[in-house]
Amino acid sequence: MLEYIREHWIQYLVGATIAALLGLGLSFYLGEKWSTPESVRAQHVEEEQSRLDGVDGEDTTEGSSDVNNVGE
């Protein structure tokens, strides 16, 4: 068995390379096909930014223990 592998190691190397390339190609193809569309991602980002802006815009009291207000 080992003698056969030693004799045909180039074929094993070529086969492993082809398998890896096919796997990477398939994952890239499926990632492009089934990923979230750009418009939907942009909408999610916009919603998150507006949600965060609403949180940041709240009034804080002088005695707040918010670490972001240190030094103000």
PDB file of all heavy atoms in Angstrom, residues 13-34:
ATOM      1  N   LEU A  13      -1.682  14.433  -4.945  1.00  0.00           N
ATOM      2  CA  LEU A  13      -1.516  15.870  -4.776  1.00  0.00           C
ATOM      3  C   LEU A  13      -2.430  16.642  -5.729  1.00  0.00           C
ATOM      4  O   LEU A  13      -3.101  17.599  -5.324  1.00  0.00           O
ATOM      5  CB  LEU A  13      -0.058  16.274  -5.003  1.00  0.00           C
ATOM      6  CG  LEU A  13       0.288  17.735  -4.805  1.00  0.00           C
ATOM      7  CD1 LEU A  13       0.036  18.143  -3.363  1.00  0.00           C
ATOM      8  CD2 LEU A  13       1.733  17.978  -5.195  1.00  0.00           C
ATOM      9  N   VAL A  14      -2.484  16.203  -6.982  1.00  0.00           N
ATOM     10  CA  VAL A  14      -3.366  16.848  -7.960  1.00  0.00           C
ATOM     11  C   VAL A  14      -4.827  16.679  -7.547  1.00  0.00           C
ATOM     12  O   VAL A  14      -5.621  17.625  -7.600  1.00  0.00           O
ATOM     13  CB  VAL A  14      -3.117  16.282  -9.378  1.00  0.00           C
ATOM     14  CG1 VAL A  14      -4.198  16.730 -10.344  1.00  0.00           C
ATOM     15  CG2 VAL A  14      -1.740  16.695  -9.873  1.00  0.00           C
ATOM     16  N   GLY A  15      -5.194  15.496  -7.116  1.00  0.00           N
ATOM     17  CA  GLY A  15      -6.574  15.248  -6.675  1.00  0.00           C
ATOM     18  C   GLY A  15      -6.955  16.088  -5.470  1.00  0.00           C
ATOM     19  O   GLY A  15      -8.061  16.651  -5.419  1.00  0.00           O
ATOM     20  N   ALA A  16      -6.061  16.190  -4.500  1.00  0.00           N
ATOM     21  CA  ALA A  16      -6.339  17.009  -3.314  1.00  0.00           C
ATOM     22  C   ALA A  16      -6.457  18.484  -3.689  1.00  0.00           C
ATOM     23  O   ALA A  16      -7.314  19.203  -3.169  1.00  0.00           O
ATOM     24  CB  ALA A  16      -5.249  16.808  -2.275  1.00  0.00           C
ATOM     25  N   THR A  17      -5.621  18.941  -4.616  1.00  0.00           N
ATOM     26  CA  THR A  17      -5.681  20.331  -5.062  1.00  0.00           C
ATOM     27  C   THR A  17      -6.993  20.615  -5.774  1.00  0.00           C
ATOM     28  O   THR A  17      -7.640  21.644  -5.536  1.00  0.00           O
ATOM     29  CB  THR A  17      -4.493  20.652  -5.985  1.00  0.00           C
ATOM     30  OG1 THR A  17      -3.280  20.377  -5.288  1.00  0.00           O
ATOM     31  CG2 THR A  17      -4.514  22.089  -6.437  1.00  0.00           C
ATOM     32  N   ILE A  18      -7.405  19.715  -6.645  1.00  0.00           N
ATOM     33  CA  ILE A  18      -8.675  19.882  -7.361  1.00  0.00           C
ATOM     34  C   ILE A  18      -9.846  19.886  -6.384  1.00  0.00           C
ATOM     35  O   ILE A  18     -10.755  20.717  -6.488  1.00  0.00           O
ATOM     36  CB  ILE A  18      -8.840  18.786  -8.431  1.00  0.00           C
ATOM     37  CG1 ILE A  18      -7.844  19.017  -9.566  1.00  0.00           C
ATOM     38  CG2 ILE A  18     -10.275  18.743  -8.959  1.00  0.00           C
ATOM     39  CD1 ILE A  18      -7.787  17.890 -10.567  1.00  0.00           C
ATOM     40  N   ALA A  19      -9.812  18.989  -5.397  1.00  0.00           N
ATOM     41  CA  ALA A  19     -10.892  18.942  -4.407  1.00  0.00           C
ATOM     42  C   ALA A  19     -10.954  20.239  -3.603  1.00  0.00           C
ATOM     43  O   ALA A  19     -12.048  20.771  -3.348  1.00  0.00           O
ATOM     44  CB  ALA A  19     -10.692  17.749  -3.475  1.00  0.00           C
ATOM     45  N   ALA A  20      -9.807  20.767  -3.208  1.00  0.00           N
ATOM     46  CA  ALA A  20      -9.783  22.019  -2.443  1.00  0.00           C
ATOM     47  C   ALA A  20     -10.310  23.177  -3.287  1.00  0.00           C
ATOM     48  O   ALA A  20     -11.098  24.004  -2.810  1.00  0.00           O
ATOM     49  CB  ALA A  20      -8.370  22.304  -1.954  1.00  0.00           C
ATOM     50  N   LEU A  21      -9.891  23.247  -4.553  1.00  0.00           N
ATOM     51  CA  LEU A  21     -10.357  24.326  -5.422  1.00  0.00           C
ATOM     52  C   LEU A  21     -11.853  24.231  -5.694  1.00  0.00           C
ATOM     53  O   LEU A  21     -12.552  25.253  -5.726  1.00  0.00           O
ATOM     54  CB  LEU A  21      -9.578  24.324  -6.734  1.00  0.00           C
ATOM     55  CG  LEU A  21      -8.110  24.750  -6.625  1.00  0.00           C
ATOM     56  CD1 LEU A  21      -7.409  24.581  -7.965  1.00  0.00           C
ATOM     57  CD2 LEU A  21      -7.999  26.175  -6.132  1.00  0.00           C
ATOM     58  N   LEU A  22     -12.354  23.020  -5.888  1.00  0.00           N
ATOM     59  CA  LEU A  22     -13.795  22.856  -6.083  1.00  0.00           C
ATOM     60  C   LEU A  22     -14.566  23.254  -4.832  1.00  0.00           C
ATOM     61  O   LEU A  22     -15.620  23.896  -4.914  1.00  0.00           O
ATOM     62  CB  LEU A  22     -14.123  21.410  -6.461  1.00  0.00           C
ATOM     63  CG  LEU A  22     -13.808  21.004  -7.893  1.00  0.00           C
ATOM     64  CD1 LEU A  22     -14.050  19.505  -8.086  1.00  0.00           C
ATOM     65  CD2 LEU A  22     -14.640  21.802  -8.874  1.00  0.00           C
ATOM     66  N   GLY A  23     -14.063  22.893  -3.665  1.00  0.00           N
ATOM     67  CA  GLY A  23     -14.715  23.272  -2.414  1.00  0.00           C
ATOM     68  C   GLY A  23     -14.743  24.775  -2.223  1.00  0.00           C
ATOM     69  O   GLY A  23     -15.768  25.353  -1.842  1.00  0.00           O
ATOM     70  N   LEU A  24     -13.623  25.430  -2.484  1.00  0.00           N
ATOM     71  CA  LEU A  24     -13.568  26.890  -2.358  1.00  0.00           C
ATOM     72  C   LEU A  24     -14.474  27.565  -3.391  1.00  0.00           C
ATOM     73  O   LEU A  24     -15.169  28.532  -3.083  1.00  0.00           O
ATOM     74  CB  LEU A  24     -12.132  27.379  -2.509  1.00  0.00           C
ATOM     75  CG  LEU A  24     -11.198  27.047  -1.350  1.00  0.00           C
ATOM     76  CD1 LEU A  24      -9.770  27.422  -1.706  1.00  0.00           C
ATOM     77  CD2 LEU A  24     -11.645  27.744  -0.091  1.00  0.00           C
ATOM     78  N   GLY A  25     -14.453  27.059  -4.612  1.00  0.00           N
ATOM     79  CA  GLY A  25     -15.310  27.626  -5.650  1.00  0.00           C
ATOM     80  C   GLY A  25     -16.786  27.476  -5.326  1.00  0.00           C
ATOM     81  O   GLY A  25     -17.574  28.409  -5.507  1.00  0.00           O
ATOM     82  N   LEU A  26     -17.155  26.309  -4.833  1.00  0.00           N
ATOM     83  CA  LEU A  26     -18.549  26.069  -4.472  1.00  0.00           C
ATOM     84  C   LEU A  26     -18.971  26.962  -3.315  1.00  0.00           C
ATOM     85  O   LEU A  26     -20.068  27.537  -3.332  1.00  0.00           O
ATOM     86  CB  LEU A  26     -18.771  24.600  -4.115  1.00  0.00           C
ATOM     87  CG  LEU A  26     -20.191  24.187  -3.768  1.00  0.00           C
ATOM     88  CD1 LEU A  26     -21.105  24.391  -4.972  1.00  0.00           C
ATOM     89  CD2 LEU A  26     -20.222  22.744  -3.309  1.00  0.00           C
ATOM     90  N   SER A  27     -18.114  27.113  -2.316  1.00  0.00           N
ATOM     91  CA  SER A  27     -18.472  27.968  -1.183  1.00  0.00           C
ATOM     92  C   SER A  27     -18.594  29.421  -1.627  1.00  0.00           C
ATOM     93  O   SER A  27     -19.473  30.142  -1.151  1.00  0.00           O
ATOM     94  CB  SER A  27     -17.455  27.829  -0.055  1.00  0.00           C
ATOM     95  OG  SER A  27     -16.205  28.331  -0.446  1.00  0.00           O
ATOM     96  N   PHE A  28     -17.726  29.879  -2.518  1.00  0.00           N
ATOM     97  CA  PHE A  28     -17.830  31.245  -3.032  1.00  0.00           C
ATOM     98  C   PHE A  28     -19.130  31.431  -3.810  1.00  0.00           C
ATOM     99  O   PHE A  28     -19.846  32.410  -3.624  1.00  0.00           O
ATOM    100  CB  PHE A  28     -16.633  31.576  -3.923  1.00  0.00           C
ATOM    101  CG  PHE A  28     -16.680  32.954  -4.494  1.00  0.00           C
ATOM    102  CD1 PHE A  28     -16.378  34.049  -3.721  1.00  0.00           C
ATOM    103  CD2 PHE A  28     -17.046  33.150  -5.818  1.00  0.00           C
ATOM    104  CE1 PHE A  28     -16.431  35.327  -4.248  1.00  0.00           C
ATOM    105  CE2 PHE A  28     -17.107  34.418  -6.354  1.00  0.00           C
ATOM    106  CZ  PHE A  28     -16.796  35.515  -5.564  1.00  0.00           C
ATOM    107  N   TYR A  29     -19.450  30.479  -4.673  1.00  0.00           N
ATOM    108  CA  TYR A  29     -20.673  30.548  -5.474  1.00  0.00           C
ATOM    109  C   TYR A  29     -21.908  30.587  -4.578  1.00  0.00           C
ATOM    110  O   TYR A  29     -22.799  31.423  -4.751  1.00  0.00           O
ATOM    111  CB  TYR A  29     -20.746  29.365  -6.429  1.00  0.00           C
ATOM    112  CG  TYR A  29     -22.067  29.246  -7.144  1.00  0.00           C
ATOM    113  CD1 TYR A  29     -22.407  30.108  -8.177  1.00  0.00           C
ATOM    114  CD2 TYR A  29     -22.994  28.270  -6.777  1.00  0.00           C
ATOM    115  CE1 TYR A  29     -23.628  30.016  -8.820  1.00  0.00           C
ATOM    116  CE2 TYR A  29     -24.213  28.163  -7.414  1.00  0.00           C
ATOM    117  CZ  TYR A  29     -24.523  29.026  -8.435  1.00  0.00           C
ATOM    118  OH  TYR A  29     -25.742  28.932  -9.067  1.00  0.00           O
ATOM    119  N   LEU A  30     -21.978  29.678  -3.609  1.00  0.00           N
ATOM    120  CA  LEU A  30     -23.139  29.639  -2.729  1.00  0.00           C
ATOM    121  C   LEU A  30     -23.198  30.873  -1.841  1.00  0.00           C
ATOM    122  O   LEU A  30     -24.278  31.362  -1.513  1.00  0.00           O
ATOM    123  CB  LEU A  30     -23.126  28.363  -1.881  1.00  0.00           C
ATOM    124  CG  LEU A  30     -23.331  27.070  -2.654  1.00  0.00           C
ATOM    125  CD1 LEU A  30     -23.235  25.874  -1.724  1.00  0.00           C
ATOM    126  CD2 LEU A  30     -24.660  27.078  -3.387  1.00  0.00           C
ATOM    127  N   GLY A  31     -22.048  31.386  -1.436  1.00  0.00           N
ATOM    128  CA  GLY A  31     -22.023  32.607  -0.642  1.00  0.00           C
ATOM    129  C   GLY A  31     -22.571  33.788  -1.412  1.00  0.00           C
ATOM    130  O   GLY A  31     -23.291  34.628  -0.872  1.00  0.00           O
ATOM    131  N   GLU A  32     -22.241  33.876  -2.685  1.00  0.00           N
ATOM    132  CA  GLU A  32     -22.766  34.959  -3.521  1.00  0.00           C
ATOM    133  C   GLU A  32     -24.253  34.770  -3.797  1.00  0.00           C
ATOM    134  O   GLU A  32     -25.025  35.723  -3.793  1.00  0.00           O
ATOM    135  CB  GLU A  32     -22.016  35.013  -4.848  1.00  0.00           C
ATOM    136  CG  GLU A  32     -20.618  35.542  -4.742  1.00  0.00           C
ATOM    137  CD  GLU A  32     -20.600  37.023  -4.397  1.00  0.00           C
ATOM    138  OE1 GLU A  32     -21.409  37.771  -4.957  1.00  0.00           O
ATOM    139  OE2 GLU A  32     -19.771  37.395  -3.562  1.00  0.00           O
ATOM    140  N   LYS A  33     -24.661  33.529  -4.015  1.00  0.00           N
ATOM    141  CA  LYS A  33     -26.052  33.256  -4.386  1.00  0.00           C
ATOM    142  C   LYS A  33     -26.997  33.443  -3.203  1.00  0.00           C
ATOM    143  O   LYS A  33     -28.077  33.997  -3.353  1.00  0.00           O
ATOM    144  CB  LYS A  33     -26.155  31.824  -4.908  1.00  0.00           C
ATOM    145  CG  LYS A  33     -27.542  31.447  -5.362  1.00  0.00           C
ATOM    146  CD  LYS A  33     -27.584  30.064  -5.946  1.00  0.00           C
ATOM    147  CE  LYS A  33     -28.994  29.726  -6.377  1.00  0.00           C
ATOM    148  NZ  LYS A  33     -29.106  28.393  -6.908  1.00  0.00           N
ATOM    149  N   TRP A  34     -26.585  32.966  -2.019  1.00  0.00           N
ATOM    150  CA  TRP A  34     -27.493  32.945  -0.877  1.00  0.00           C
ATOM    151  C   TRP A  34     -27.203  34.019   0.166  1.00  0.00           C
ATOM    152  O   TRP A  34     -27.821  34.018   1.230  1.00  0.00           O
ATOM    153  CB  TRP A  34     -27.455  31.576  -0.212  1.00  0.00           C
ATOM    154  CG  TRP A  34     -28.066  30.495  -1.046  1.00  0.00           C
ATOM    155  CD1 TRP A  34     -28.964  30.646  -2.049  1.00  0.00           C
ATOM    156  CD2 TRP A  34     -27.824  29.094  -0.952  1.00  0.00           C
ATOM    157  NE1 TRP A  34     -29.295  29.432  -2.584  1.00  0.00           N
ATOM    158  CE2 TRP A  34     -28.618  28.461  -1.929  1.00  0.00           C
ATOM    159  CE3 TRP A  34     -27.033  28.314  -0.139  1.00  0.00           C
ATOM    160  CZ2 TRP A  34     -28.632  27.094  -2.110  1.00  0.00           C
ATOM    161  CZ3 TRP A  34     -27.038  26.947  -0.314  1.00  0.00           C
ATOM    162  CH2 TRP A  34     -27.832  26.345  -1.289  1.00  0.00           C
TER     163      TRP A  34
END
